[in-house]
Structure formats: structure tokens, C-alpha cells
Amino acid sequence: MNRVCEIRARALAELSAEGEAALARLPEPARRSAAEREVARQSHDESRRARRRFIADHAEEVYDLLTDEKTRRPRLAELLSAAAREFPGLVPTAEQMAVEQGRLQAGKEGREIDQGLFFGGLLRARGAGEHLIASMLAPTSRALDLAPTYEKSGSVALEKVRIERIGHTARVTISNPDCLNAEDNGLVRDLETAVDLVALDRGSRVGVLRGDVMSHPKYAGSRVFSSGINLKDLHLGRISYVDFLLGRELGCVNKLLHGVRTEGGGPAPGGTTQKPWIGVVDTFAIGGGFQLLLVLDQVIAVEGAFLSLPAAQEGIVPGLANLRLGRFAGGRLARQMILGGRRIPAGDPSANWLIDEVVPAEDVAAAVERAADALATPAVVDNRRMLVLAEEPVDSLRSYLAEFAVVQARRLYAEDVLAKVARRGGRG
């Protein structure tokens, strides 16, 4: 770290300490008066301006120090822990985040915004951003631990996801049945583990992603793909920015599209091990569930199913759908879905851009077999890799993620989002 960076890091630490002292004199966020909220806002704004300038000017130096000149590949939480230690005041400490985790979303200090500023700065820097994206494509330690078991038995049951090898396919079943397969921290973690296991599995050539049978009263006995983010958990402050909102995009979703990075760079050009993926939509794919379809290679929907991306209603950014949906459906339909909340039935002509085949429920198994046989041919993986390279080069992905990291963190604490989440999530 050069002298200028050291001096500015010390100045940032002092300024942040002053800001924390001012916050400490106030009641906790949920109990502050309007005047006290304004004091807190001004304190946060001053500290955040300094953090944003520092990471904008020194992202490469910071990242090199935290990764030992890019010789290590820490995940997001590890980077935050190291940054809190090496650059006091740049990101929240573990103790500060522990306090936040015990609060409702509307009653938090908003420290995830500071995490967003940090990751946004790293991703804007080309060297740091590309290394971070590649690092997050590595299989998780949990998946590596489970890989021998899956390789031998052909099945693994996690808390909210099951994986089973059937012939040359690896069937991944999302199973959060009491809340319509809504995504939460645990489901995202399990899904990334499953994607890793499928990518590393030598016994399968195609992945299949489908929702389980529901126990929720409204859809009991029916399969559902996904109802998107768990709004009750978001209201309760249980949706993690790092582990879910940013980690999901850089982890399991990115791996579905770009593959899993293996030791030594993988067996093929591009440095990742990839498999084609089929998605089966029973009943509906809403929000984050729909986002998953945009990184799959073939989508089969059951008659009567629908797709929806209610970003305007929820108020947060729908992951990387803003980057990916337009290339499938065109800019006009992307705006109608993201900005206007348009719902697309499986039989609608517009669905032809998003769904490959619509079948009766009793024909799903046969449709999956046909699709899997077609995608299991030897040339598919290399052609898929070239398609992805053309559609989403790493620099475009990095540039989008840099803005997303900041905007999504701020949207988490926007007044309209907090009000909507309180109304909808509070209904349970």
C-alpha cells in the first residue's frame, strides 16, 4: 500500500470514528425522532462520501492487499472481514452487523449500504472486479465436502434443495414448500451448493431445475417453480445483502450461466466447467424464480403457468434481469415486465421469447427427456460457452454488477421499499 493510500486510510478511519460517536449518542434507529433521523442521515452521508471516494481511488490497492496480490480468492464475507480489519471505517465490523441482524429491516442503521459502496468500488476497478467475479465462480467448500458423497450415491438432500442423478441428467428440486419456494438465505446457499455439485459431477451431462410439490394451503399438492424473494424474511431483516442479494448473483446464478471455476482453470477454454440447464416451470416463476430462467438453456412450462417480475411492486432491482431480459424479449417487453409488472401467461405469444415449450402436466417427463437428449450431445457445451461469451462478456457483466451492488443496497433502505415490505411481508 503506497503512502497516499495509508494517509487517506487513516483520515477515513478518523472520520468514520467521529460519525460512529455521533450515532452512538442517538437512540437506536427505530426510536429516533425526525430531528434525530436527520442527524443520523447527515452523519452517514458524510462518512459514505469519504468511503466512496477512497474506494474509487484505491480499489486496486485495497483488493491486492486483501487478496495477497490476487493469490487468494476470498468470497464476499471474507473480503468484508479482512477489509474491516485492514481499513477501519471502510466497511461495517462484524459486531456492527450482528446488531443489525437483530432488527427489522425498517429499524436498521443501513450498514449494508456501506457494504454496497465497497463492492461497487471493487467491481468498477477492472483488475479487482474481474478477479472477484472469477473467485465467486469457484465451488464452495461445502460443495467440495459433499462432492464425493454425491459422486458415489447420485443423490444429496439439503435442507431446501435436493439433487438426484437420473441417467445422464442431474435433477435439482427446489423445496421450500410452506412458502411457495420463496427464496431466502438458506435456499440461496443450498441452490449454489447444488449447482456446484452438478457442474463437478462426472456422471451427468445436463442439469434440470424444477420446483417441488407445495404444502402451502393455496397450492397444496401442486408443484411451483418459485415465488421470488421471501418478503416476510425481508421485512424481518433476515435477507442478507452479502449472502443473498449480491452473493446470489455472483454465486449460484452466475454459475448457472458462466459455469464453475475448477482448479487449474477447468478442462476447457474459459476456465470453467459448464453444463447445459433445463428449467421446468409448474404454476409460476415470479421474481427471482423468473430471473433463474434467463440463465437456463431450455425452459419447459406447464399449461396454465405464468411468468412475472414484480420489481416495481417490490421496489428492489430484480437482480441481473435488467441486463439479461432485453436480449431474450427485446427492450419493450423488458420494460413492460420490469417497470410495469406485466404478467406473461405461458400461452401468450410474448412467452415464445421466454419459454421453449408448453406442455400438459402429464407430458413434462417426456419433454424433459427430449430436451436432455438434445442438450447432451458433445458439441453443446462448447457452443453454449461461445454463446455466453458473445451475449455476456465479463466486462459488461462487471460494469453492470458495479452499479447493481450500490443501487440494490440503497433500494433495501428506500422508504417506499420499507413501506411495501412492511405491508406485504407483515402479512406472513
Side-chain angles (χ1 to χ4, degrees):
M1 184 166 55
N2 65 41
R3 182 66 175 162
V4 173
C5 185
E6 288 180 1
I7 292 171
R8 291 188 66 188
R10 284 199 295 271
L12 175 61
E14 292 171 3
L15 178 65
S16 296
E18 292 173 4
E20 290 301 325
L23 293 173
R25 291 191 289 270
L26 300 174
E28 63 179 69
R31 298 173 53 212
R32 289 172 188 165
S33 65
E36 289 167 335
R37 288 196 297 272
E38 178 60 20
V39 170
R41 185 193 64 77
Q42 291 179 7
S43 178
H44 280 304
D45 285 352
E46 184 177 8
S47 296
R48 285 169 183 158
R49 281 192 294 269
R51 291 175 187 129
R52 186 169 55 247
R53 288 193 298 266
F54 178 82
I55 198 63
D57 293 341
H58 300 289
E60 297 287 9
E61 294 159 273
V62 168
Y63 191 78
D64 281 349
L65 189 147
L66 300 181
T67 60
D68 294 335
E69 304 294 327
K70 300 186 182 71
T71 60
R72 297 188 307 103
R73 293 188 177 274
R75 288 176 65 85
L76 302 183
E78 297 171 84
L79 276 173
L80 285 172
S81 179
R85 181 178 64 252
E86 299 292 339
F87 297 92
L90 179 58
V91 297
T93 65
E95 292 76 18
Q96 289 171 330
M97 292 308 300
V99 173
E100 289 280 82
Q101 288 164 7
R103 295 168 169 166
L104 297 178
Q105 190 68 20
K108 293 185 178 183
E109 197 70 69
R111 298 191 185 277
E112 288 166 311
I113 295 173
D114 301 296
Q115 295 177 334
L117 294 173
F118 173 70
F119 287 118
L122 293 184
L123 287 160
R124 285 190 190 96
R126 184 184 297 271
E130 290 184 358
H131 190 271
L132 175 55
I133 290 169
S135 297
M136 289 296 291
L137 291 177
T140 63
S141 57
R142 184 187 188 207
L144 293 174
D145 289 342
L146 289 168
T149 299
Y150 179 65
E151 193 81 22
K152 182 178 180 180
S153 69
S155 66
V156 169
L158 306 173
E159 183 182 357
K160 298 183 179 183
V161 173
R162 300 191 308 275
I163 316 108
E164 184 180 12
R165 188 192 306 119
I166 301 176
H168 57 70
T169 63
R171 311 295 177 103
V172 176
T173 303
I174 303 170
S175 187
N176 204 8
D178 60 339
C179 54
L180 302 179
N181 278 346
E183 293 184 316
D184 53 33
N185 292 351
L187 191 150
V188 166
R189 178 173 183 256
D190 284 354
L191 187 55
E192 182 172 5
T193 301
V195 172
D196 286 344
L197 290 172
V198 173
L200 299 173
D201 179 33
R202 292 173 293 182
S204 60
R205 301 178 69 176
V206 178
V208 179
L209 186 61
R210 191 178 187 184
D212 207 349
V213 175
M214 298 293 99
S215 60
H216 187 285
K218 190 172 181 180
Y219 291 93
S222 300
R223 285 182 180 267
V224 164
F225 189 74
S226 174
S227 60
I229 190 170
N230 188 317
L231 294 175
K232 180 177 181 180
D233 273 15
L234 183 55
H235 167 62
L236 295 173
R238 296 174 183 168
I239 295 294
S240 165
Y241 169 78
V242 168
D243 297 325
F244 186 135
L245 292 170
L246 184 59
R248 172 185 183 273
E249 305 308 324
L250 282 164
C252 71
V253 179
N254 228 24
K255 288 174 176 178
L256 283 165
L257 183 62
H258 292 278
V260 173
R261 187 180 58 78
T262 51
E263 196 64 36
T272 61
T273 296
Q274 299 189 18
K275 283 190 171 77
W277 282 87
I278 299 166
V280 179
V281 180
D282 297 272
T283 312
F284 52 73
I286 296 174
F290 175 73
Q291 294 164 34
L292 292 175
L293 304 184
L294 300 178
V295 295
L296 305 182
D297 300 287
Q298 188 152 347
V299 176
I300 298 166
V302 175
E303 290 177 347
F306 69 87
L307 313 176
S308 175
L309 198 61
Q313 290 88 340
E314 294 170 356
I316 59 176
V317 179
L320 271 68
N322 303 57
L323 174 67
R324 293 167 175 155
L325 178 55
R327 68 176 179 244
F328 282 91
R332 188 56 53 206
L333 183 58
R335 281 167 171 77
Q336 290 172 4
M337 293 189 73
I338 294 172
L339 305 182
R342 179 179 171 185
R343 177 185 290 192
I344 308 293
D348 189 291
S350 297
N352 292 335
W353 300 107
L354 305 168
I355 296 169
D356 296 281
E357 188 175 5
V358 180
V359 299
E362 61 270 20
D363 292 345
V364 167
V368 169
E369 290 302 320
R370 288 194 302 271
D373 286 345
L375 292 173
T377 56
V380 164
V381 170
D382 284 336
N383 277 289
R384 178 190 193 274
R385 188 186 303 277
M386 298 308 294
L387 279 170
V388 172
L389 178 64
E391 292 172 345
E392 193 169 289
V394 68
D395 206 52
S396 296
L397 174 64
R398 179 185 60 80
S399 297
Y400 180 92
L401 284 166
E403 298 305 313
F404 171 79
V406 177
V407 173
Q408 187 73 304
R410 292 194 181 279
R411 290 306 300 163
L412 273 181
Y413 295 93
E415 290 186 7
D416 64 308
V417 172
L418 296 177
K420 290 173 183 175
V421 166
R423 288 195 302 270
R424 298 181 65 188
R427 293 198 297 263

